[in-house]
Amino acid sequence: MNKFFLLFLYIASFSLQYLFPQLFLFNMEFLNSLISVLSIFFGFYIVGLSIFVVSKFVNTLYLKEVKDSKGFKTTNLHILLNFYKNGLVLNLLSIFYFLLLIFVISNKNLISFSFYFSYLTIPLMFQNFLYSYKSLNQLIKIVIQNAKIEK
């Protein structure tokens, strides 16, 4: 993802949460629902990878060499797998973060800390949704290319 967009997302989210704290009070039900949605996204990533692995299009992705964003030679297969890996890691870290946030909110001694600890909630949600959207687009392209090959 674009680093400047992510930086803007985090700064805008922190600013909004700081200026309007009453709008961003997260309760346990919301966080539990968010964990459920992220778990579904995790399942989506795994299903996407399993569809991708059995695709005949994988070989063509491996054979085509391109330059990545840093200018190094790589294959489209490695770029796609790296994208999925980053999405899976982000998803798992987000689930862990929200479970930790539930613990902090439920612990009465840490309630003042939980307000500042929850600042990452909105950016992580947006980042997960964007990664899932991009992964879905990639999966659709793979299915279409696989259908063209099998024709």
Side-chain angles (χ1 to χ4, degrees), residues 18 38 44 54 72 80 94 113 131 135 139 141:
Y18 182 77
L38 289 175
F44 163 74
V54 298
F72 297 113
L80 188 62
S94 298
F113 176 69
Y131 257 100
S135 297
L139 184 62
K141 288 178 186 176

Side-chain angles (χ1 to χ4, degrees), residues 116-133:
Y116 299 105
F117 193 64
S118 67
Y119 270 17
L120 292 174
T121 303
I122 301 295
L124 282 175
M125 283 181 357
F126 280 120
Q127 212 171 349
N128 272 294
F129 288 131
L130 289 174
Y131 257 100
S132 296
Y133 175 75

Side-chain angles (χ1 to χ4, degrees), residues 12-104:
S13 174
F14 291 161
S15 300
L16 284 173
Q17 286 179 314
Y18 182 77
L19 294 173
F20 306 105
Q22 66 277 9
L23 296 177
F24 299 101
L25 297 176
F26 304 113
N27 60 15
M28 301 281 267
E29 291 175 25
F30 172 75
L31 292 173
N32 284 328
S33 299
L34 195 55
I35 289 172
S36 297
V37 168
L38 289 175
S39 298
I40 292 169
F41 282 173
F42 183 80
F44 163 74
Y45 279 114
I46 299 300
V47 168
L49 278 174
S50 64
I51 290 172
F52 176 68
V53 166
V54 298
S55 170
K56 293 179 182 176
F57 184 59
V58 171
N59 191 29
T60 60
L61 287 176
Y62 183 73
L63 294 176
K64 185 174 181 185
E65 278 193 0
V66 294
K67 290 191 176 191
D68 64 3
S69 60
K70 297 176 184 172
F72 297 113
K73 282 187 178 181
T74 185
T75 65
N76 282 334
L77 177 63
H78 288 95
I79 291 172
L80 188 62
L81 289 177
N82 197 24
F83 180 77
Y84 266 88
K85 181 183 78 170
N86 291 340
L88 280 167
V89 168
L90 175 68
N91 192 283
L92 288 175
L93 288 176
S94 298
I95 289 172
F96 176 73
Y97 168 77
F98 293 131
L99 286 171
L100 193 60
L101 189 58
I102 286 175
F103 169 74
V104 168

